[in-house]
Amino acid sequence: MSVKTALLPADDPAAIARAAEVLRRGGLVAFPTETVYGLGADALDAAAVGRIFAAKGRPADNPLIVHVAAPEQARALARSVPPAAERLMSLWPGPLTLVLPRAAVVPDATTAGQDTVAVRIPGHPAALALLRACGRPLAAPSANRSGRPSPTTAGHVLADLDGVVEVILDGGPCAVGLESTVVDATRPVPMVLRMGGLPLEALRAAVGEVDVLSGQDPEAMSRSPGLRHRHYAPRARVVLVAPGEAAALGGPAVAVMSQRPRPPGFVGRWQVMPAELEGYAHALFAALRELDAPEVETIVVETVPEVGLGRAIADRLRRAAQG
Ligand code: AMP
Ligand code: MG
């Protein structure tokens, strides 16, 4: 079934009111956050949440992040709030998702049947205005077709979900450009399940000891279901190489993402990525979509140092290359 998609300015109160109305009757609205654009629906309405999975083609075993406007609203979704979670909540609003024990009000559809629920307060004025206007917690995964690079502009959302989502609120490019850091806050020592827009170093500086889920951990997949799935992949094949190695790999069907300048005589597209990791994160998903032109068969990406935001960037690049 196809709907007429309305593209509306996110800073217009009338647009927010209209989008909130769509959400209250169980519809889908894409909205900007500081991380990426989210595809929102009422998190407590199983039928509305089902529409998110259908719109994205998302595997039903991959749970959704619930967005709220205030800490009290997050506490209402949790069976209990462990001490570690209380400390971590001081970092909201921001690119940080907390996994908490789930209260009975949250439907199985939202948590993919897990007995935990993932919650965050986004740091974007339009997202907060929408949450307040509709008065419901909003389940909102990234507003892309499942497996594709996450959308960081309203145009990316339109490219993937035109005719599927009722309203897209256009708030311009997302400031961070990477999804939130997901932390399991049910444990005595919190554990990062997915690297993201809040760097590990910043988390540790704010709350002390923090573990990181190891990819070798046999339990890893069950604790962080999103890790099981293909993600962030353009249509072209993505190949990772060390910095400096892309220069030798040119060709008419090649595109390169590198922090270095285009070498003289290089054949193919060459996208210079920002040297600063914040700028790199901001530009990453747009660059993957931009370089994914019809004539491009291979996108060669030079890796980044795995410190600060570089950990999340490297994670997304590895998963794009697994496609
Ligand atoms: P996305 O919204 O597409 O950025 O993906 C949401 C991420 O949060 C995925 O990696 C999920 O596995 C993770 N997530 C959501 N809910 C839970 C939960 N209850 N426990 C563990 N991870 C979760
Ligand atoms: Mg996603």
Side-chain angles (χ1 to χ4, degrees), residues 58 62-65 99 116 118 141-142 179 182 193-194 223 225-226:
R58 183 173 172 106
N62 194 2
L64 304 179
I65 295 171
V99 173
T116 51
S142 49
E179 300 81 355
V182 179
L193 302 180
R194 175 181 76 180
R223 265 196 248 144

Side-chain angles (χ1 to χ4, degrees), residues 56 58 141-142 144 150 179 194 231-232:
K56 285 183 58 97
R58 183 173 172 106
S142 49
N144 52 280
S150 299
E179 300 81 355
R194 175 181 76 180
H231 249 88
Y232 315 115

Side-chain angles (χ1 to χ4, degrees), residues 35-36 56 58 61-67 97-100 102 110-119 139-144 146 150 179-184 193-194 220-229 231-232 316 319:
T35 59
V36 302
K56 285 183 58 97
R58 183 173 172 106
D61 65 353
N62 194 2
L64 304 179
I65 295 171
V66 181
H67 294 65
T97 294
L98 301 181
V99 173
L100 303 171
R102 158 200 176 185
T110 300
T111 69
Q114 309 259 345
D115 67 352
T116 51
V117 59
V119 192
S142 49
N144 52 280
S146 199
S150 299
E179 300 81 355
S180 58
T181 302
V182 179
V183 175
D184 181 350
L193 302 180
R194 175 181 76 180
M221 297 299 172
S222 66
R223 265 196 248 144
S224 188
L227 299 180
R228 274 196 289 264
H229 300 288
H231 249 88
Y232 315 115
R316 303 307 186 268
R319 291 167 70 188

Side-chain angles (χ1 to χ4, degrees), residues 26-227:
L28 300 181
V29 170
F31 60 94
T33 79
E34 80 280 36
T35 59
V36 302
Y37 276 73
L39 178 62
D42 182 343
L44 305 186
D45 175 345
V49 168
R51 282 178 205 115
I52 295 179
F53 283 90
K56 285 183 58 97
R58 183 173 172 106
D61 65 353
N62 194 2
L64 304 179
I65 295 171
V66 181
H67 294 65
V68 296
E72 311 82 75
Q73 212 182 359
R75 288 190 191 96
L77 300 174
R79 198 163 61 240
S80 63
V81 180
E86 280 296 344
R87 276 183 282 133
L88 287 158
M89 279 184 189
S90 67
L91 298 172
W92 283 345
L96 171 67
T97 294
L98 301 181
V99 173
L100 303 171
R102 158 200 176 185
V105 285
V106 185
D108 275 335
T110 300
T111 69
Q114 309 259 345
D115 67 352
T116 51
V117 59
V119 192
R120 89 173 182 106
I121 302 182
H124 191 293
L128 292 169
L130 182 65
L131 284 161
R132 291 193 190 108
C134 78
R136 312 273 163 87
L138 296 178
S142 49
N144 52 280
R145 295 276 311 162
S146 199
R148 300 249 307 140
S150 299
T152 55
T153 67
H156 297 161
V157 180
L158 199 62
D160 277 19
L161 298 176
D162 192 13
V164 174
V165 58
E166 283 189 60
V167 172
I168 301 172
L169 294 172
D170 185 352
C174 299
V176 176
L178 290 175
E179 300 81 355
S180 58
T181 302
V182 179
V183 175
D184 181 350
T186 65
R187 311 156 63 85
V189 176
M191 178 184 270
V192 175
L193 302 180
R194 175 181 76 180
M195 295 293 174
L198 187 68
L200 182 62
E201 292 83 347
L203 259 180
R204 287 185 169 145
V207 300
E209 199 185 354
V210 173
D211 290 334
V212 177
L213 178 66
S214 150
Q216 318 309 327
D217 184 337
E219 268 183 74
M221 297 299 172
S222 66
R223 265 196 248 144
S224 188
L227 299 180

Side-chain angles (χ1 to χ4, degrees), residues 243 259 277 280 302-307 309-311 313-314 317:
Q259 290 174 298
L277 291 173
Y280 194 115
E302 291 186 341
T303 52
V304 298
E306 295 197 36
V307 293
L309 280 180
R311 297 175 209 266
I313 294 169
L317 290 175

